[in-house]
Amino acid sequence: MRIEIWMDVVCPWAYIGKRRVERALATLGEPAEVVWRPYRIDPTAPVPAEPLADALCDPAADEALRVCAPDLSPAENRLPVDRIAAKEGLGPPWGAAWRASSHDAHRLIALAEQAGVQDAVVEALLRAHFIDAVDIGDREVLARVVGDVFPEASELLTADAGEERVRELLLEGKARGIRTSPTIVAGDRALAGAQPPEVIAEFLTGSFAHVAERRPLPAEVERYRWAESLLEQRDPLGALALLRPLLAGHGDDRSVRMLAARAWYASAQLGRALAALEELVAQHPDDAYARVLLGRTLQRLGRHEEAEPHMRVGGALVPAYAS
């Protein structure tokens, strides 16, 4: 069984959630592969980091806290976390000292998966931030924190390794509807928040049965659906980023080309949209949607006379498009 945990290493509930997942798995006695995925609760955190005490005076900090525990008010979120952490065997001491960017930490976590030391790296980073209260936004500190379990970290950080992988995973998480840290995903089911171990265990038990019955989708189909989801969320550039491998490997697929054309149109890359749509209409003249989108693209380019016949044909094929 594969379990994904989407979380931010600067979210205290992620550390609490990690302990609760471990307890839940211990009670189930089921073999499981835990994979850690990135989520950013504070994507505007500065580099270099700033003292967290100063940052918490900013009203914008309340929104970051709300993302961690949406059921608690900011005041409630700040008060009980140390006591809850203590019940999970975390601290004392407890508490972050820095408002630090977690981007480089997530790079290390992504790279550590390939090296087979991901869980150890996640544990080291969470402990460094919440127990040792060091600045995990600093690359030298990061390399030192994980050096015992991931000695290649310093070289990889300097080389900017893992940048593309983390950005793609963040887009995937957005496409899949990840909205809080932590979120546990098993198959196509998700459990948001650092829930009690018994709740997690019940969720995983149900997920084990569901995954056993579910036929997994090909990776290309999942990627296509994620790109489509991003486009529906009005993130055409994100959709195009996820479509890039599909365009390279399946560029002749009609659905892939149409989704890319829609994303180019939505992101005002009208030249690319025009070229793709002209080719699609030439190959599939009865595709009403392609006709209409080609017409709209031409209209936005100021070529209204060329657009008119495509709009007319599209409306004739599908009357709803004529309105």
Side-chain angles (χ1 to χ4, degrees):
M1 176 69 179
R2 179 186 176 92
I3 302 167
E4 294 179 340
I5 304 179
W6 298 77
M7 61 92 205
D8 199 341
V9 289
V10 298
C11 173
W13 295 99
Y15 207 178
I16 293 167
K18 185 176 189 294
R19 286 292 181 269
R20 291 178 172 179
V21 169
E22 290 166 350
R23 288 168 57 193
L25 288 173
T27 61
L28 291 176
E30 293 279 350
E33 175 192 10
V34 177
V35 179
W36 297 90
R37 296 290 183 237
Y39 181 82
R40 300 287 299 278
I41 63 169
D42 188 9
T44 62
V47 178
E50 64 179 348
L52 187 59
D54 295 344
L56 288 177
C57 295
D58 187 338
D62 291 345
E63 181 57 31
L65 289 170
R66 192 175 292 111
V67 170
C68 270
D71 295 332
L72 299 179
S73 71
E76 291 172 327
N77 202 328
R78 289 170 180 165
L79 290 175
V81 178
D82 58 342
R83 297 193 294 272
I84 296 171
K87 291 180 181 179
E88 302 298 334
L90 302 173
W94 170 267
W98 297 94
R99 182 192 177 205
S101 170
S102 59
H103 179 72
D104 283 337
H106 285 302
R107 285 171 53 210
L108 285 183
I109 293 169
L111 294 165
E113 181 185 4
Q114 304 167 20
V117 293
Q118 195 183 47
D119 192 77
V121 165
V122 169
E123 181 68 31
L125 290 170
L126 289 168
R127 179 176 182 82
H129 187 66
F130 290 106
I131 306 297
D132 301 329
V134 299
D135 175 11
I136 62 168
D138 183 289
R139 290 187 176 183
E140 291 185 4
V141 173
L142 273 178
R144 184 171 68 251
V145 164
V146 303
D148 289 343
V149 294
F150 197 21
E152 308 94 322
S154 179
E155 182 180 351
L156 291 170
L157 285 170
T158 302
D160 290 334
E163 286 280 352
E164 184 175 349
R165 176 62 174 158
V166 169
R167 289 195 174 95
E168 186 172 274
L169 285 169
L170 288 169
L171 288 172
E172 179 188 327
K174 180 180 178 181
R176 295 173 68 176
I178 306 301
R179 296 290 180 268
T180 190
S181 167
T183 297
I184 304 168
V185 176
D188 58 0
R189 304 176 72 212
L191 179 67
Q195 302 289 343
E198 57 272 18
V199 174
I200 297 173
E202 182 179 0
F203 166 77
L204 293 177
T205 300
S207 298
F208 292 155
H210 185 67
V211 169
E213 299 171 356
R214 174 177 172 264
R215 178 178 297 178
L217 292 173
E220 294 84 0
V221 174
E222 286 195 326
R223 178 177 286 271
Y224 178 90
R225 290 186 176 182
W226 297 334
E228 192 172 39
S229 172
L230 289 177
L231 188 57
E232 291 170 356
Q233 295 178 53
R234 299 185 179 181
D235 184 1
L237 295 178
L240 287 167
L242 290 186
L243 278 174
R244 195 174 298 122
L246 295 182
L247 286 168
H250 305 275
D252 57 347
D253 183 272
R254 180 179 176 181
S255 297
V256 170
R257 290 155 61 207
M258 175 54 79
L259 188 58
R262 289 171 55 199
W264 283 322
Y265 176 84
S267 59
Q269 299 182 63
L270 300 181
R272 290 185 171 184
L274 179 65
L277 289 165
E278 285 180 332
E279 186 176 347
L280 282 165
V281 166
Q283 294 174 350
H284 309 282
D286 60 344
D287 187 329
Y289 184 76
R291 286 273 191 180
V292 170
L293 192 57
L294 175 56
R296 290 174 180 169
T297 303
L298 288 165
Q299 287 174 340
R300 288 179 67 181
L301 289 167
R303 295 160 61 175
H304 297 282
E305 290 186 7
E306 295 175 63
E308 195 275 334
H310 294 294
M311 300 297 291
R312 187 174 62 252
V313 171
L317 290 167
V318 179
Y321 291 158
S323 58

